[in-house]
Amino acid sequence: MYRKDDETYFIVDAHVALWDARPENQRNIHGKQFIDCFYDYHRNLSPESEVWPYEDYLYQGGERLMRDLFENGYVDHAIFQPAHLGAFYENGFGQTEEAFALTQQHPGKLTYNHFFDPRFEQAGIDQLRRDAERFGLKGVKLYTAEWQGDSRGYKLDDKWTYKYFEACQELGIKNIHVHKGPTIRPLDRDAFDVADVDHAATDFTDLNFVVEHCGLPRLEDFCWIATQEPNVHAGLAVAIPFIHTRPKYFAQIIGELLYWLDEDRIQFSSDYALWTPKWLIERFVDFQIPEDLPEYAPLTVEQKKKILGLNAAAMYDIPVPAELQLAPVEPQAVSVA
Amino acid sequence: MDAHTALDAVLDPELDEPITDLGFVKSLDVDGGRVTVHLRLPTSFCAPNFAYLMASDAKDVLTALPWTSEVIVELDDHHDSDLINRGLAADAGYRGTFGHEADEDLEELRLTFRRKAHQAAMERALTVLLRADEHVDLHGVTLADLPEVPASAALLRRRAALGLPAEPSSPVLVDHDGTPFPREEIPLRLRFARSVRISIEGNSHFCRGLLRTRYPESTVEVPA
């Protein structure tokens, strides 16, 4: 939790990773390029004091993760959203065993979400069933631009993806996190296109679709869809660090999200280890819409509390101490005739 | 026309800005009629279809110059550099370069971004008008009503790229076919156009920042 000016915020970091991008785990040049690209994001958008050496960036391990998130970072609960990237890394990018073991050691603090790839068809569904049981899955992270053999991506409205969603319904995996950020593939089908989220959200209304990176670089397409689909949510990963380098742009993003969605459907994410949560939380609590953007209303403390933790806590049934919850809205008195 | 000026006409489709302004032209060598250009992008994971589009557009504008006899365009440091450079050298076209991955027409992608660029330009031009008079009736605004500012000229260029009418009496707030929006939809449509504009501007911040991080010697200034 984070305290500032007599207010206390319950923090859920809804998108973190325990990755291994060290050279011995890189399968090919793409593995190096991928982590180098992440490192450029990190260097470009972080305050100078928060920039890590390259070596630290390749791998953090569980101990450092716990320290960065929970000791230094004010986080009360964090959710792993792993990307497999088996075409780039020998043992995958996200470290399943290590991350899951960590959640076993710290059950109140960490939730492990896993991934699936619909291109494995029935065998992948069978695997998903085993994974759901072993990990107690409440959510999955989908990286639709993942390379797989000759294929450089898939869509959420592909026939097999739908079969996986049906399995998710049955297995109680309610939260589908979709990477729709700066990405790489598929080639001929615009990989940033969020239209497939629209189709899936319409057809699976009992699943939550959290669009990570809130559709950037297609913010407007995302907003248009989210306005119409109440089960579509925005993850702030990669958007929130603009609070430092481009605060006015960040104000516009959060202003648009609050306009098109609402304050209940936006989730804080540091995207650790792309960034550490500490400075992002501090800056967000201090943040206000600048005066030269009068088209947006000022952010309220309640909105910040929801975004920083209460929204994701509700989605994942994470217990929130009573004193950190928002005061219940008093129902309007009903006049008795 | 010199080679650098010719490259000003090549736009990043997503950012709607010239590759020369964005710092994507790493080097340009002219030796008689032989021109060699090296392009570079903010990350090795920039979308390969966009990368190909810019590289092949660069080759086209340089080849079209009357004084060039040989044009070599190469993309550096991209995960598909070899593939793209081979395709460009052989003039293999988009599908010839990417094979089965490129089933769709690149022109469709280009059109999508021209439409976005038009919406963003429309919002910018109308915002200038709204700042001057917040009660202006946007439904009746025509090209003749726009003030002579860069935003208006930019809108005319985006309209021309889509083949929309340029007559002074043409309405400004239109969809990509030139059809005016119904009056009751105007607040929503303007609002949507604004989020398109914010999206494009944000991508530009991101790409410019990443390019400077990746290539610190890059001298391209970042506008505030």
Side-chain angles (χ1 to χ4, degrees):
Chain A
M1 64 194 70
Y2 179 61
R3 279 197 192 85
K4 180 80 190 277
D5 300 335
D6 299 330
E7 294 287 351
T8 310
Y9 300 79
F10 184 79
I11 311 286
V12 178
D13 193 337
H15 192 298
V16 303
L18 186 53
W19 70 51
D20 185 355
R22 289 175 291 190
E24 54 270 34
N25 193 31
Q26 291 172 10
R27 189 182 286 275
N28 46 37
I29 179 71
H30 306 313
K32 174 169 169 41
Q33 289 173 332
F34 191 83
I35 191 66
D36 285 357
C37 173
F38 270 26
Y39 190 56
D40 285 348
Y41 288 174
H42 170 77
R43 287 194 294 161
N44 179 234
L45 294 183
S46 303
E48 222 169 287
S49 62
E50 307 298 328
V51 175
W52 294 2
Y54 182 69
E55 291 304 314
D56 289 12
Y57 205 71
L58 295 174
Y59 174 75
Q60 295 77 43
E63 210 173 294
R64 174 154 195 180
L65 178 142
M66 294 305 293
R67 194 167 62 240
D68 285 339
L69 297 183
F70 298 100
E71 279 175 43
N72 300 330
Y74 317 119
V75 174
D76 294 287
H77 198 105
I79 303 168
F80 283 113
Q81 307 287 0
H84 179 55
L85 303 178
F88 298 167
Y89 296 96
E90 297 286 352
N91 182 31
F93 183 62
Q95 297 303 298
T96 301
E97 296 305 327
E98 207 178 346
F100 181 59
L102 213 56
T103 63
Q104 297 300 98
Q105 283 171 42
H106 306 279
K109 287 191 153 126
L110 288 162
T111 293
Y112 183 71
N113 278 2
H114 200 52
F115 48 79
F116 67 66
D117 185 333
R119 290 165 296 188
F120 289 112
E121 302 189 346
Q122 188 57 47
I125 292 188
D126 298 341
Q127 183 64 46
L128 178 64
R129 289 182 191 283
R130 291 192 291 273
D131 291 339
E133 192 181 339
R134 179 181 171 208
F135 301 131
L137 293 181
K138 290 181 177 173
V140 285
K141 166 76 189 291
L142 304 183
Y143 200 82
T144 54
E146 172 129 20
W147 296 19
Q148 182 64 251
D150 281 347
S151 161
R152 302 295 168 93
Y154 63 90
K155 287 278 177 193
L156 295 189
D157 51 358
D158 290 345
K159 184 185 83 179
W160 272 102
T161 317
Y162 266 37
K163 291 191 183 186
Y164 280 65
F165 286 148
E166 284 161 10
C168 285
Q169 286 176 311
E170 187 195 318
L171 296 166
I173 302 172
K174 290 194 64 146
N175 307 321
I176 314 292
H177 296 253
V178 194
H179 175 103
K180 283 290 179 187
T183 184
I184 47 179
R185 300 271 182 167
L187 197 65
D188 62 330
R189 300 176 298 174
D190 177 4
F192 309 125
D193 189 355
V194 292
D196 58 340
V197 178
D198 193 8
H199 297 155
T202 306
D203 290 336
F204 294 91
T205 50
D206 52 343
L207 300 180
N208 298 311
F209 290 86
V210 185
V211 175
E212 298 300 342
H213 322 306
C214 49
L216 295 173
R218 303 285 189 280
L219 179 67
E220 73 281 14
D221 291 340
F222 167 70
C223 288
W224 190 252
I225 289 167
T227 298
Q228 294 157 46
E229 308 295 339
N231 53 333
V232 169
H233 302 248
L236 285 180
V238 184
I240 197 163
F242 279 105
I243 207 165
H244 164 62
T245 50
R246 299 273 169 186
K248 191 168 167 183
Y249 169 55
F250 177 72
Q252 290 174 320
I253 295 176
I254 202 82
E256 292 299 315
L257 290 176
L258 286 168
Y259 174 83
W260 291 101
L261 285 76
D262 55 61
E263 61 198 47
D264 297 325
R265 290 196 280 150
I266 305 172
Q267 298 181 359
F268 166 71
S269 319
S270 69
D271 219 347
Y272 184 86
L274 272 157
W275 294 279
T276 44
K278 180 175 188 284
W279 69 273
L280 292 169
I281 294 164
E282 290 169 353
R283 302 270 178 126
F284 186 70
V285 166
D286 291 344
F287 185 78
Q288 199 40 274
I289 303 282
E291 278 176 12
D292 61 343
L293 293 175
E295 59 267 41
Y296 304 115
L299 287 179
T300 66
V301 168
E302 292 211 342
Q303 285 172 331
K304 290 177 180 177
K305 286 184 175 178
K306 287 182 173 184
I307 292 169
L308 281 171
L310 300 179
N311 289 341
M315 185 179 278
Y316 277 86
D317 302 319
I318 296 165
V320 179
E323 68 276 16
L324 299 182
Q325 287 168 359
L326 289 174
V329 180
E330 289 295 324
Q332 295 283 320
V334 179
S335 62
V336 179
Chain B
M1 187 192 287
D2 70 37
H4 195 271
T5 309
L7 287 174
D8 287 342
V10 179
L11 303 183
D12 178 317
E14 188 172 30
L15 308 183
D16 193 35
E17 292 183 62
I19 58 170
T20 45
D21 286 357
L22 289 164
F24 292 175
V25 180
K26 179 188 176 192
S27 67
L28 172 62
D29 293 308
V30 179
D31 178 9
R34 182 187 158 101
V35 182
T36 308
V37 179
H38 281 264
L39 302 179
R40 62 181 180 190
L41 295 172
T43 84
S44 36
F45 282 106
C46 286
N49 42 5
F50 294 163
Y52 178 82
L53 195 73
M54 288 184 271
S56 61
D57 282 359
K59 188 165 182 182
D60 287 348
V61 297
L62 294 171
T63 306
L65 294 173
W67 55 269
T68 55
S69 53
E70 186 183 5
V71 175
I72 298 164
V73 175
E74 293 208 328
L75 178 66
D76 296 349
D77 301 342
H78 190 270
H79 69 78
D80 274 337
S81 279
D82 291 346
L83 194 66
I84 289 173
N85 291 341
R86 275 202 305 276
L88 288 170
D91 289 317
Y94 178 61
R95 292 182 199 198
T97 301
F98 288 107
H100 78 279
E101 290 185 65
D103 292 338
E104 270 174 35
D105 197 347
L106 207 49
E107 287 310 306
E108 209 171 293
L109 190 68
R110 197 195 293 272
L111 184 62
T112 300
F113 286 98
R114 279 193 180 144
R115 288 172 173 175
K116 286 177 187 271
H118 166 249
Q119 290 204 54
M122 185 169 77
E123 193 269 350
R124 278 192 202 99
L126 290 173
T127 298
V128 173
L129 215 58
L130 279 171
R131 290 230 161 115
D133 172 12
E134 61 176 306
H135 300 298
V136 68
D137 176 15
L138 293 180
H139 194 254
V141 168
T142 64
L143 292 178
D145 298 325
L146 295 180
E148 282 191 34
V149 294
S152 307
L155 175 62
L156 288 176
R157 286 199 301 278
R158 305 297 182 281
R159 287 177 68 111
L162 283 178
L164 298 182
E167 285 86 48
S169 61
S170 307
V172 171
L173 194 59
V174 294
D175 68 11
H176 52 73
D177 295 322
T179 309
F181 292 112
R183 185 180 289 275
E184 66 275 13
E185 281 188 19
I186 283 178
L188 186 70
R189 294 294 172 178
L190 189 68
R191 192 74 209 206
F192 186 69
R194 178 186 295 158
S195 57
V196 174
R197 194 244 311 152
I198 290 167
S199 198
I200 293 174
E201 287 176 0
N203 296 339
S204 181
H205 295 320
F206 208 28
C207 289
R208 286 171 184 276
L210 282 175
L211 192 81
R212 268 184 313 155
T213 301
R214 193 178 190 203
Y215 301 108
E217 79 288 359
S218 162
T219 53
V220 178
E221 281 302 308
V222 182

